[in-house]
Amino acid sequence: MKAYMCVICGYVYEEEKGDPESGIEPGTKWEDVPMNWVCPDCGAGKEDFEMIEI
């Protein structure tokens, strides 16, 4: 599983954990996260995230 960090605020989306509060189930791959999903901390779009090593 991969992780992606918001370059605006530093929030980390981990595929393993998903974002259940936004309806993204654990195990949801980044490419399967809807394009209209936004960072739960700052509201940035998917285009503002970069893959990181954790």
Side-chain angles (χ1 to χ4, degrees):
M1 296 262 147
K2 298 176 183 167
Y4 296 82
M5 184 176 73
C6 176
V7 298
I8 308 292
C9 73
Y11 171 84
V12 176
Y13 173 84
E14 295 179 59
E15 292 179 336
E16 185 177 310
K17 295 179 180 175
D19 182 18
E21 292 179 9
S22 297
I24 309 298
E25 294 294 321
T28 301
K29 295 205 176 293
W30 181 247
E31 56 267 18
D32 296 330
V33 173
M35 285 305 297
N36 64 351
W37 178 84
V38 295
C39 176
D41 285 352
C42 74
K46 280 182 71 176
E47 66 276 4
D48 293 314
F49 281 73
E50 294 182 352
M51 188 170 65
I52 60 168
E53 297 281 337
I54 55 170

